[in-house]
């Protein structure tokens, strides 16, 4: 009797799940930076209005997002680490990569600036100074696009971070926001994307110490997961999303998104080499 | 009045019960036939409860055999037991009786209510139908358990110390019910360590001491001319150790 | 870090996004607890009443699984439901039913283990009477479940507390998709990572309020049971 009542309750609860029916929706594996910066919150309703398609964003690090695509658990991947994306394509998991937009990374650090890097535009000099002074540095350490970009910058600075690291270099293995929280709590330097930083509220004593270096530009690309590998991929709807992103309408929407009056992402779908 | 059933006699033959190397019942042979109540008497620890449980089929003997109406299976036997400390289901008194009626499945459903009222009145608990059974006093519970045992319309009713630790008024209600039950030709087999109770109710006596049956016989014979020394001591009211 | 709007203001204003998050949390956890109850109670009760070789092992395993880390449960369900996993064709990953599955995995052992304990204690008490009444196996289980209903309700509510409070499993299998699989706990994780601590704290307080409410309910049920059943 009790069991029957519970069964009915469970069935009723199951039925009341929002939008479980076969509505038009796709799953996009993307990065925490696009989600946490609020970009998706702005452009996805516009896309839905235009096409009636709901986009379900699973925000992960770039590496994890690509893996989600590899397993066929997403229809589209929208990430920012060109080399990793090209590997994804060459493995046959993606159909084609389209450049969409870029934003930039910034070096965040405590106002006290123990490494003395404030004012320089040269990210490589700044990282070298941090290492030389042994100033506390937080690394995402999560194979995210930001993490991959950070490791590349150390390499450009001639530092093999795997070998040359000391106790000053801390890998936290978490998302951008979490890394910023930790940096804020421990007065450390940290490499962040500008979007997450601008929407980040718990800044404490942190501020931007280095910005504007060309090498800090961060390109986003979008790919349809290959239906030949995973037949369940919603290829038509996914491609519709990609087409919209690189259309004049989608590009304008990206440019329109601002936090505190500041534009975060710069559309560049026309730049085929990006 | 019920027709003589096929449940009787219950025969124990050389029944021994042992646990952890201790002999609780020692090679007991006896037969429980129809007729007036059979009362097991004997001091505490003499094995009365264990003998009732064997006869009820709740436990198996370590050695020896038990038969019910000549069969080795106890399952079809309509029997019920009232334990010394009955456990009531977490429901009202009336619902406890309804449960027993349902389990026995002997009565059409539409007769449950009238049968419950009848049983409650038999044990003097008419006012208690809606009381949560587990909030009732020890004496009330024992009477309710008696009613519950009768709900299944048993041919044999086992009672373990039915009047122990009851005040005289409550004990009288219980003994009156036992007499009524016996008069309906239901075989009563009860244990007691209370000589008075045994004198008032017993048709036959089984006298036990230290896990053995020391003496059996008609109640009048037993009380007037006991054979064994143990029975003589016990009837005198002296301490039997 | 002044909060622009607190979670309470949003809740009071009937903010649809926040209400959807609260609603989904409750639906997912209640469904999971419903399913876990349907599985866990009969399994626990049968385990209490049966004896078979290896029973002790099963009991120990269930007891140990009560402490199963949510992320492990989440990972296991993730691997099952992923398109590349054995149940991938169901297409359930990153949907609310996937979150229900993960929580069922978490909660079922709790309900089964605690039910076994409760029913076993009750059986010890009822064994003689029910055996004497010739009560069959099926009715035995039913009787013990019914008579243990107040303890069982407390157990179910404990399971609900566990489900409603966990984040590790549902964030893995649900993906924390805004407007679709975002619950109170995953929203708290997200707002914390965005550094919006006041909003995270506000959501946390709402969650705690719900759990406290549930426990108050459990306590009231327990009291009523004592008065009724003695
Ligand atoms: N399960 C058991 N394990 C060990 N000893 C027992 C058990 N049941 C009864 N006994 C012992 O067997 C003896 C007889 O018990 P019982 O039949 O209850 O006697 P009575 O009902 O005449 O007082 C007592 O000494 C008692 O301690
Ligand atoms: Mg006894």
């Amino acid at each position: 009797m009790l069991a029957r009542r519970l069964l009915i309750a469970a069935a009723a609860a199951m039925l009341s799940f929002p939008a479980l029916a076969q509505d038009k929706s796709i799953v996009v594996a993307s990065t925490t930076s696009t989600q946490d910066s609020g970009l998706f919150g702005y452009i996805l309703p516009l896309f839905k209005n235009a096409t009636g398609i709901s986009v379900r964003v699973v925000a992960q690090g770039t590496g994890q997002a690509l893996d989600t695509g590899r397993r066929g658990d997403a229809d589209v991947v929208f990430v920012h680490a060109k080399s990793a994306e090209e590997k994804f394509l060459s493995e046959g998991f993606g159909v084609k990569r389209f450049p969409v937009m870029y934003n930039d990374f910034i070096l965040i650090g405590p106002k006290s600036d123990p490494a003395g890097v404030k004012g320089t535009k040269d990210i490589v000099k700044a990282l070298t100074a941090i290492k030389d002074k042994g100033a506390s540095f937080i690394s995402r350490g999560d194979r995210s696009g930001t993490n991959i970009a950070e490791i590349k910058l150390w390499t450009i600075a001639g530092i093999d971070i795997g070998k040359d690291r000391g106790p000053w270099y801390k890998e936290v293995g978490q998302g951008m926001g979490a890394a910023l929280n930790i940096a804020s709590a421990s007065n450390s330097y940290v490499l962040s994307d500008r979007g997450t930083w601008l929407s980040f509220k718990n800044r404490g004593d942190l501020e931007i110490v280095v910005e504007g270096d060309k090498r800090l530009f961060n390109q986003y690309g979008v790919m349809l997961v290959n239906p030949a590998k995973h037949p369940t991929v919603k290829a038509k709807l996914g491609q519709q999303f990609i087409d919209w992103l690189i259309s004049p309408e989608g590009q304008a929407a990206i440019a329109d998104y601002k936090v505190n009056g500041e534009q975060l992402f710069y559309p560049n779908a026309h730049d085929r080499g990006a | 009045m019920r027709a003589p059933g096929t449940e009787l006699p219950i025969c124990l033959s050389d029944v021994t019960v042992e646990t952890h190397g201790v002999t609780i019942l020692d090679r007991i042979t006896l037969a429980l036939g129809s007729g007036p109540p059979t009362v097991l008497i004997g001091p505490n620890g003499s094995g009365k409860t264990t003998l009732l449980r064997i006869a009820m089929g709740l436990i198996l003997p370590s050695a020896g055999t038990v038969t019910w109406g000549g069969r080795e299976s106890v399952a079809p036997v309509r029997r019920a037991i009232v334990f010394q400390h009955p456990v009531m289901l977490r429901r009202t008194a009336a619902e406890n009786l309804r449960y027993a009626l349902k389990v026995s499945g002997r009565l059409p459903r539409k007769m449950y209510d009238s049968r419950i009222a009848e049983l409650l009145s038999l044990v003097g608990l008419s006012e208690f139908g809606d009381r949560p059974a587990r909030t009732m006093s020890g004496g009330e519970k024992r009477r309710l358990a008696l009613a519950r045992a009768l709900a299944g319309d048993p041919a044999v009713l086992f009672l373990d110390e039915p009047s122990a630790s009851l005040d005289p008024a409550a004990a009288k209600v219980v003994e009156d019910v036992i007499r009524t039950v016996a008069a309906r030709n239901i075989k009563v087999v009860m244990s007691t360590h209370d000589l008075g109770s045994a004198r008032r109710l017993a048709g036959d006596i089984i006298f036990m001491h230290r896990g053995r049956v020391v003496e059996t016989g008609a109640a009048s014979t037993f009380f007037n001319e006991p054979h064994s020394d143990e029975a003589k001591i016990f009837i005198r009211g002296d301490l039997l150790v | 870090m002044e909060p622009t709007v607190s979670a309470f203001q949003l809740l009071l204003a009937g903010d649809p996004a926040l209400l959807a998050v609260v609603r989904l949390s409750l639906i997912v956890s209640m469904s999971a607890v419903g399913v876990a109850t349907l599985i866990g109670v009969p399994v626990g009760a049968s385990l209490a009443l049966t004896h078979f070789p290896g029973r002790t092992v099963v009991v120990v395993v269930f007891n140990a699984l009560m402490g199963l880390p949510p992320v492990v449960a989440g990972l296991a369900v993730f691997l099952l439901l992923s398109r590349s996993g054995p149940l991938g064709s169901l297409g359930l990953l990153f949907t609310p039913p996937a979150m229900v599955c993960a929580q069922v995995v978490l909660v079922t052992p709790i309900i089964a283990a605690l039910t076994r304990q409760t029913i076993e204690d009750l059986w010890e008490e009822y064994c003689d009477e029910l055996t004497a009444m010739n009560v069959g196996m099926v009715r035995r289980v039913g009787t013990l479940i019914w008579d243990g209903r107040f303890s069982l309700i407390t157990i179910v509510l404990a399971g609900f507390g566990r489900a409603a409070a966990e984040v590790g499993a549902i964030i893995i299998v649900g993906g924390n998709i805004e407007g679709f699989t975002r619950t109170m706990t995953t929203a708290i994780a997200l707002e914390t990572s965005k550094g919006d601590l006041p909003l995270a704290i506000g959501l946390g307080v709402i969650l705690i309020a719900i759990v406290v409410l549930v426990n108050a309910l459990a306590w009231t049920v327990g009291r009523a049971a004592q008065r009724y059943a003695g």
Side-chain angles (χ1 to χ4, degrees), chain A residues 121-129 153 156-159 213 215:
Chain A
K121 265 193 108 172
D122 187 334
I123 183 64
V124 168
K125 268 192 196 145
L127 289 181
T128 311
L153 289 169
I156 295 172
I159 297 164
D213 191 320
R215 288 168 291 195

Side-chain angles (χ1 to χ4, degrees), chain B residues 19-20 24 43-50:
Chain B
T19 29
H20 312 297
I24 300 173
N44 275 325
S46 55
K48 304 182 293 293
T49 299
T50 308

